[in-house]
């Protein structure tokens, strides 16, 4: 039900995968930022921030997989379409 709602809002699997990749970068940025912005608090606090933000990535990748399966069942994207796109890219 949630996946269907997300799909109807225009969120595609590629968006969720991109959000997962961005959250990995945000995790590193949060860790480094916490070290610099809060000096004296220690490495433990920075590690907690990095881990907190880092837990978002698997969630986004899981949503991407669920959306991808929904797109295949819905007919929005099929394996044939993916193969056609790859062939066009090879030719170009």
């Amino acid at each position: 039900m949630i996946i269907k709602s997300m799909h109807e809002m225009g969120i595609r699997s590629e968006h969720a995968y991109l959000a997962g990749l961005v959250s990995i970068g945000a995790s590193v940025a949060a860790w480094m930022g916490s070290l610099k912005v809060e000096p004296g608090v220690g490495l433990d606090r920075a590690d907690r921030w990095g881990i907190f933000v880092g837990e978002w990535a698997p969630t986004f990748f899981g949503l991407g997989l669920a959306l991808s399966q929904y797109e295949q069942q819905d007919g929005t994207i099929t394996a044939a379409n993916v193969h056609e796109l790859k062939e066009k890219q090879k030719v170009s």
Side-chain angles (χ1 to χ4, degrees):
M1 179 166 208
I2 292 173
I3 300 301
K4 181 180 178 184
S5 298
M6 290 175 69
H7 183 75
E8 289 172 354
M9 288 189 303
I11 300 172
R12 301 293 181 253
S13 58
E14 293 85 12
H15 301 135
Y17 293 140
L18 181 62
L21 289 173
V22 168
S23 70
I24 292 170
S27 175
V28 173
W31 179 76
M32 291 175 68
S34 182
L35 280 176
K36 294 182 190 239
V37 172
E38 301 173 321
V41 176
L43 186 61
D44 293 340
R45 174 92 177 222
D47 287 347
R48 279 187 229 117
W49 271 110
I51 291 170
F52 172 71
V53 177
E55 290 178 355
W56 300 348
T59 303
F60 288 129
F61 288 130
L63 285 171
L65 287 171
L67 284 164
S68 177
Q69 287 180 352
Y70 183 81
E71 291 165 0
Q72 289 176 8
Q73 290 174 354
D74 186 41
T76 307
I77 187 169
T78 62
N81 291 342
V82 172
H83 293 299
E84 289 173 11
L85 290 172
K86 287 182 180 179
E87 291 299 321
K88 287 180 184 177
Q89 289 176 348
K90 287 180 184 178
V91 172
S92 297

